[in-house]
Amino acid sequence: MDKLWGSRFEKDITAAVLDYTQTTDIDERLILSDIWGSIAHVVMLGRQEILIPAEGRALLKCLLGLYEEAGNGTLELNRELEDVHLNLEQQVIARLGLQVGGKIHTARSRNDQVVTDTRLYLREKILHLQAELVHFIEILIHRSGANMGKVMVGYTHGQPAQPVSVAFWLTSYASMLIRDFDRLTHAFTGTNKNPLGSCALAGTSFPIDRPLTARLLGFDGLLLHALDATSSRDFILETVSALSILMSNISRMAEEIVLFSSYEYNLVEVDDAYSTGSSIMPQKKNPVVVELARARCGRVFGSLIHVLTMVKGVPMGYNVDLQEDKPPLWRALDDTLSTVSIMREQMSRLTFNYQRALDLCRANFTTATELANHLVKEKGFSFRQAYQVTGTVVKELIKANKTLADLSAVGSELRKLQVEMDIEQLKDVIEPFQVMDQQVSQGGTSRKSVKEILEVLQGELEKRGDELKQRRQSLEQALTNTLQAARQFCDPESAG
Ligand code: ARG
C-alpha cells in the first residue's frame, strides 16, 4: 500500500470510497498555491534549522521545479492520491526519496495546509473580481457623462413616478456596485490571514516561525489560534455573502433591462450580440444574457446556503465535512466573475430610446409633483393643499383623456380651482426635461447634482482602484520574494 497514511491500515479503500471522498479534480486549481505554501514552509523550516541546509536545498530545488511544471501545465495529478496535498507530497517523495522528501510535512498538517491554499487562491480571485468591478463602474460612469441631459422614466411601485436622467439611472448602479467592491475588500481582509503553522489543530512542538511564513505568503498577519484557524470557514462565508449581495444587485439591473427592452416599455435596446433568436418565432429577439444573469444569482445564493449548512454542525477541529467548502466556493466565484464581466460588456453596448422616455414621462403625469412644488413656491399653498389641487387637475385630465402636456387644459383645470398660471410659466414645471433638471438637491437627478455625484463616484473609484493596485502588487511581490528566498537558500552565493 503506497498511500502516505497507509501504514496503519490492513486494507485499501474501495474504488467507491475513493470516488466518494477524493477531491483531486476539485482542488486541482490549488496546485500553485499549494506549492507556494510549501516553499514558504520549507524556507521557514530551513531558517529555523528544523531541517539541515542540505535537506532544505534539496526540497526547495524540487519544489521550484514542481512550481514551474505546475505553471506550464505539465504536472499531472493522480486522483488515486486523494487530494492536491498528498499529490504534491508524493511527487516530492518520488523525486527525493522518503528520507529527505518525507521531511516536507514536518510541522505541518493537511488541515492547516488546505486553508492556507484556499486563502491564497481566494484572495487572488477576490482581487480579480474587484478589478472587473472597477472596470464595470468605470463604464457606467463613462456612459453617464454623455447622458446627463437625457430623460428617463423613474419608477416607484413599477409605476411611472418622476422624470430622471439616464445618467442618474446608470449612476445608481455605480453607486451600488462601489459598496459591493467594499464588501469584497472586507472579505479580502478576513481571508488574507496566515493559518499555516496551526498544524493539525494544536500547534506543534517544533520551533516554527509563523510570522515568517505569513510574510513570505503576503498575508496581513497571523490567524493566531491554531484550533480556530484549522476549523473556521467564515472567510468563505463572508466572501460568498459578498458575492451573493453583488449578484442580487446585478440581478436587479438585469431585470430592469429585460423589462425596459420589451415592446411595452421600449426604453432601451439590447445589442444584437447579446441577444438570441427563437427557433420557431422568426420575429423574436430575446435578451438572454440579462435573463441568465438574473437567473444565475440563484446558483450563487445556493452556494451560500450550501456552505452555511455544511459548516453549521461541524465541531471545532478539522472535520472532513469542511472539504465540501470548495465546490460551492468555486462555483460562486466563477459565476460571479463571468456575470460581472458579461454584464459590463452588454451595458457598454446598451442603447437608449430617448424619445420613448419623454413620451412615457409626458403620458404618465410624471411632472405632477413638480407642479405641486410650484404651487407651494409661487402661490403660497401648503404642500398638502398644492398636492390636492394637483391631484384634482390630474383626475380631471384623466377623465378628459388628456395629460399634463395639454397645457391649455391644465391651465383651465387650474383656473376652475382658482389658480391662475400662464402657459409659458406652466411649460417649465410640466416639461420632463425641465423638471428633471430642477431636482438640484444633493444626490438628485438634475445635471448639476449628477455632475457632483459623478465627481464623488469618480473619486471613490480612483481611491479604490489605487488600493487594489497596491494589494495586487504586494501579493506579486510576496511571491517573487518567496521564490527568491528559496533560490537564495539553494545557492547562497547567488544574489537572487
Ligand atoms: N482534501 C481536504 C480538504 O479539502 C484536505 C484536508 C484533509 N485532511 C484530512 N485529515 N483528511 O479539506
Side-chain angles (χ1 to χ4, degrees):
M1 185 175 309
D2 57 4
K3 288 221 153 39
L4 289 172
W5 45 255
S7 56
R8 185 238 177 275
F9 290 80
E10 301 283 356
K11 281 190 204 163
D12 202 349
I13 56 173
T14 68
V17 170
L18 177 70
D19 276 347
Y20 196 70
T21 58
Q22 69 86 25
T23 57
T24 305
D25 43 358
I26 292 155
D27 44 42
E28 209 171 3
R29 38 172 118 186
L30 293 177
I31 184 68
L32 284 171
S33 307
D34 202 67
I35 304 176
W36 183 5
S38 300
I39 293 175
H41 178 64
V42 174
V43 167
M44 183 279 292
L45 292 178
R47 291 206 193 156
Q48 294 300 99
E49 297 175 358
I50 296 167
L51 299 178
I52 60 169
E55 293 163 344
R57 277 199 295 277
L59 284 169
L60 287 171
K61 268 190 191 134
C62 175
L63 286 168
L64 286 168
L66 286 165
Y67 190 81
E68 219 173 284
E69 286 172 42
N72 61 34
T74 53
L75 185 65
E76 296 241 336
L77 300 186
N78 175 1
R79 65 190 291 285
E80 307 258 313
L81 293 176
E82 203 174 306
D83 61 24
V84 69
H85 324 293
L86 295 177
N87 262 277
L88 187 77
E89 186 177 344
Q90 194 66 278
Q91 283 281 351
V92 171
I93 289 169
R95 290 170 197 215
L96 300 179
L98 200 53
Q99 175 57 33
V100 175
K103 297 206 173 191
I104 191 175
H105 213 53
T106 313
R108 184 174 77 169
S109 154
R110 277 188 292 162
N111 301 348
D112 60 344
Q113 197 177 350
V114 69
V115 264
T116 303
D117 294 4
T118 308
R119 285 169 185 269
L120 292 175
Y121 174 81
L122 176 57
R123 68 185 189 181
E124 280 295 331
K125 285 282 170 182
I126 293 175
L127 297 185
H128 180 182
L129 178 58
Q130 285 189 301
E132 293 283 325
L133 264 184
V134 166
H135 197 171
F136 196 169
I137 298 166
E138 269 166 5
I139 281 175
L140 295 171
I141 288 178
H142 174 76
R143 296 218 59 190
S144 298
N147 279 296
M148 297 205 294
K150 301 294 187 188
V151 169
M152 169 95 177
V153 191
Y155 292 90
T156 63
H157 307 268
Q159 306 294 324
Q162 287 184 291
V164 297
S165 73
V166 170
F168 188 68
W169 178 71
L170 288 168
T171 47
S172 69
Y173 284 108
S175 166
M176 203 181 218
L177 291 177
I178 283 191
R179 288 194 300 280
D180 288 303
F181 182 99
D182 290 348
R183 271 184 285 273
L184 287 167
T185 300
H186 182 80
F188 179 91
T189 307
T191 299
N192 200 30
K193 296 268 183 306
N194 187 21
L196 193 62
S198 299
C199 304
L201 73 162
T204 177
S205 55
F206 289 101
I208 60 172
D209 180 351
R210 296 190 62 200
L212 172 57
T213 55
R215 262 195 321 281
L216 290 170
L217 296 173
F219 284 122
D220 299 319
L222 293 184
L223 204 62
L224 182 64
H225 196 294
L227 182 55
D228 176 34
T230 48
S231 310
S232 297
R233 295 296 182 272
D234 47 356
F235 70 103
I236 295 179
L237 289 172
E238 280 181 348
T239 305
V240 183
S241 304
L243 298 179
S244 296
I245 297 170
L246 166 58
M247 285 297 280
S248 82
N249 287 337
I250 289 188
S251 179
R252 298 175 71 178
M253 175 188 253
E255 164 72 356
E256 287 210 301
I257 294 162
V258 173
L259 286 177
F260 291 172
S261 63
S262 71
Y263 173 83
E264 287 74 8
Y265 282 84
N266 189 22
L267 285 168
V268 301
E269 181 161 9
V270 172
D271 193 88
D272 274 7
Y274 293 80
S275 323
T276 61
S278 152
S279 63
I280 176 170
M281 297 169 282
Q283 85 285 9
K284 289 297 291 289
K285 173 176 161 183
N286 299 325
V288 288
V289 167
V290 278
E291 291 176 80
L292 286 173
R294 184 176 60 180
R296 210 147 287 176
C297 75
R299 301 214 302 221
V300 180
F301 298 176
S303 286
L304 178 59
I305 295 298
H306 183 157
V307 183
L308 278 168
T309 312
M310 175 280 284
V311 93
K312 76 166 185 65
V314 177
M316 292 304 268
Y318 180 87
N319 290 258
V320 81
D321 309 47
L322 297 177
Q323 87 173 5
E324 299 270 308
D325 58 358
K326 284 177 248 17
L329 177 60
W330 293 176
R331 218 167 26 242
L333 287 167
D334 294 350
D335 284 336
T336 308
L337 262 165
S338 57
T339 301
V340 166
S341 119
I342 203 156
M343 281 295 281
R344 182 189 70 216
E345 296 294 310
Q346 90 70 51
M347 281 308 284
S348 73
R349 291 167 174 79
L350 190 73
T351 50
F352 297 93
N353 187 347
Y354 301 122
Q355 187 55 47
R356 171 70 175 166
L358 281 171
D359 293 346
L360 284 178
C361 282
R362 290 194 183 115
N364 287 283
F365 301 92
T366 57
T367 54
T369 308
E370 199 50 37
L371 177 56
N373 287 345
H374 183 81
L375 298 181
V376 172
K377 290 184 219 163
E378 301 294 327
K379 305 285 175 194
F381 286 98
S382 75
F383 178 74
R384 191 54 63 209
Q385 287 168 328
Y387 175 101
Q388 283 168 359
V389 167
T390 310
T392 306
V393 171
V394 168
K395 181 172 71 186
E396 294 307 322
L397 291 171
I398 291 173
K399 274 193 208 153
N401 205 14
K402 296 201 153 105
T403 70
L404 287 172
D406 298 298
L407 295 182
S408 61
V410 176
S412 72
E413 289 305 332
L414 283 168
R415 210 163 303 121
K416 285 187 206 161
L417 301 163
Q418 278 81 50
V419 184
E420 277 303 328
M421 270 185 71
D422 73 59
I423 303 262
E424 275 316 300
Q425 254 185 325
L426 267 177
K427 258 192 191 153
D428 269 1
V429 292
I430 269 173
E431 263 307 292
F433 172 81
Q434 272 84 338
V435 169
M436 178 278 286
D437 214 32
Q438 283 165 41
Q439 314 307 308
V440 291
S441 55
Q442 264 195 317
T445 189
S446 66
R447 281 175 297 178
K448 176 175 170 285
S449 306
V450 170
K451 191 163 169 285
E452 189 195 341
I453 290 176
L454 279 172
E455 277 161 16
V456 170
L457 289 175
Q458 189 72 52
E460 291 187 351
L461 192 63
E462 268 163 32
K463 187 167 143 259
R464 283 160 181 77
D466 290 345
E467 285 167 9
L468 178 61
K469 211 160 133 199
Q470 265 173 22
R471 250 175 252 132
R472 295 185 104 176
Q473 277 169 357
S474 86
L475 296 192
E476 270 169 39
Q477 193 57 52
L479 177 60
T480 308
N481 292 349
T482 306
L483 297 177
Q484 198 168 332
R487 287 191 203 105
Q488 216 159 1
F489 194 98
C490 295
D491 182 6
E493 301 297 292
S494 85

